[in-house]
């Protein structure tokens, strides 16, 4: 079955530091890959996505590249801000009869001023 | 404003007392789904619905029921809640069309349920 593994948190960084959150996946077929963000007390919001190999998703300074050869979709940002503090979830959807998202366990990011 | 709404946002109840968590979306989405979020486990799918009157089990359906009588509403029903159903619940919706596995799923704000 499908699965997503992302780096365990929590991750604590200083403002303007470089961020990487690793994500690898196992899936049948050609899944679509997503990063969702959950701010405190809120639901999940789509941060970025990629639908095929070598696609790069980007939004709000965050980027992730769909690497089929390494089955990875690592999230990066060059300079984090305090407002980026949140829980980040890597997820995949392989379609078929259910567009279920298979999530990683989430990574809590805290950015200090 | 396009959104998914859930009610209630917080609920404390006792074992065995039937409850319903409502979910409604105003985006005319065909696909709707319920997830539960537990520490260390991420989000897991409970039930989903591809369209009106079409529902199916997700990964953790035991102890839950759903219905989809109207396109916009997808209530989650706990007939006899137990403490192991204490969790944070999210409803999500998405368009349902060819190639839709890449579609964004829109999530509600969550319902925090405590079963004593």
């Amino acid at each position: 079955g499908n699965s997503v593994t992302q780096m365990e948190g929590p991750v604590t960084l200083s403002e303007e530091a470089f961020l990487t959150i690793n994500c690898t996946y196992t899936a049948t077929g050609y899944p679509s890959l997503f990063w969702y963000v959950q701010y405190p007390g809120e639901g999940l919001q789509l941060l970025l996505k990629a639908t095929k190999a070598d696609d790069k998703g980007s939004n709000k300074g965050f980027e992730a590249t769909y690497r089929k050869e390494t089955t990875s979709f690592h999230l990066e940002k060059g300079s984090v801000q305090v407002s980026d503090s949140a829980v980040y979830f890597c997820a995949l959807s392989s379609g078929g009869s259910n567009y279920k998202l298979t999530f990683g366990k989430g990574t809590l990011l805290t950015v200090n001023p | 404003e396009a959104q998914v709404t859930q009610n209630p946002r917080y609920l404390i109840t006792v074992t065995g007392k039937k409850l319903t968590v409502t979910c409604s979306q105003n985006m005319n989405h065909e696909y709707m789904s319920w997830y539960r979020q537990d520490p260390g486990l991420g989000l897991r799918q409970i039930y989903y619905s591809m369209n009106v009157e079409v529902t199916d089990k997700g990964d953790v359906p035991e102890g839950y029921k759903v219905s989809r009588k109207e396109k916009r509403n997808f209530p989650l029903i706990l007939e006899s809640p137990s403490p192991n159903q204490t969790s944070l619940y999210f409803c999500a919706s998405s368009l349902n069309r060819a190639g839709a596995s890449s579609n964004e799923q829109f999530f509600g704000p969550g319902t925090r349920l405590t079963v004593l």
Side-chain angles (χ1 to χ4, degrees):
Chain A
N2 297 339
S3 67
V4 174
T5 303
Q6 62 182 102
M7 62 186 285
E8 299 278 334
V11 174
T12 303
L13 296 173
S14 298
E15 208 164 21
E16 299 184 2
F18 184 84
L19 169 71
T20 299
I21 301 177
N22 290 337
C23 172
T24 57
Y25 68 90
T26 302
T28 54
Y30 303 95
S32 295
L33 302 175
F34 306 84
W35 277 100
Y36 278 82
V37 58
Q38 184 179 27
Y39 297 104
E42 298 184 13
L44 281 75
Q45 302 172 26
L46 179 66
L47 181 59
L48 53 86
K49 70 177 184 182
T51 59
K52 61 183 188 296
D54 299 325
D55 266 4
K56 177 185 281 189
S58 61
N59 185 27
K60 299 182 181 180
F62 291 89
E63 292 183 340
T65 301
Y66 189 141
R67 301 284 189 204
K68 190 168 175 61
E69 64 277 12
T70 55
T71 61
S72 64
F73 193 55
H74 305 321
L75 182 68
E76 296 183 336
K77 187 175 185 182
S79 176
V80 294
Q81 305 301 312
V82 172
S83 56
D84 294 326
S85 298
V87 180
Y88 292 82
F89 292 93
C90 185
L92 69 82
S93 175
S94 56
S97 61
N98 175 11
Y99 306 137
K100 178 182 75 173
L101 288 167
T102 299
F103 286 91
K105 295 180 180 180
T107 302
L108 173 63
L109 169 66
T110 302
V111 180
N112 295 318
Chain B
E1 180 189 356
Q3 60 182 347
V4 179
T5 57
Q6 295 179 226
N7 282 292
R9 293 288 312 277
Y10 302 91
L11 179 60
I12 300 174
T13 189
V14 295
T15 298
K17 185 177 181 182
K18 181 179 178 179
L19 66 92
T20 299
V21 182
T22 64
C23 173
S24 182
Q25 49 90 9
N26 62 2
M27 295 169 280
N28 203 35
H29 285 168
E30 289 90 355
Y31 178 85
M32 297 185 75
S33 180
W34 277 102
Y35 295 85
R36 59 178 287 174
Q37 182 182 11
D38 301 290
L41 296 176
L43 283 84
R44 295 174 292 167
Q45 190 186 51
I46 303 170
Y47 267 94
Y48 67 97
S49 169
M50 299 295 278
N51 214 323
V52 175
E53 301 292 2
V54 180
T55 64
D56 209 343
K57 297 176 181 178
D59 295 323
V60 288
E62 296 77 19
Y64 304 95
K65 286 174 55 178
V66 293
S67 69
R68 188 89 183 276
K69 294 184 171 59
E70 307 164 281
K71 197 174 199 179
R72 62 184 293 125
N73 295 325
F74 190 46
L76 180 70
I77 303 155
L78 285 71
E79 295 268 3
S80 183
S82 62
N84 65 10
Q85 293 178 297
T86 293
S87 187
L88 181 57
Y89 292 87
F90 289 101
C91 181
S93 73
S94 179
L95 284 172
N96 176 10
R97 60 171 187 255
S101 64
S102 63
N103 286 352
E104 175 178 359
Q105 288 195 24
F106 292 82
F107 284 79
T111 295
R112 185 166 293 282
L113 172 65
T114 301
V115 183
L116 302 175

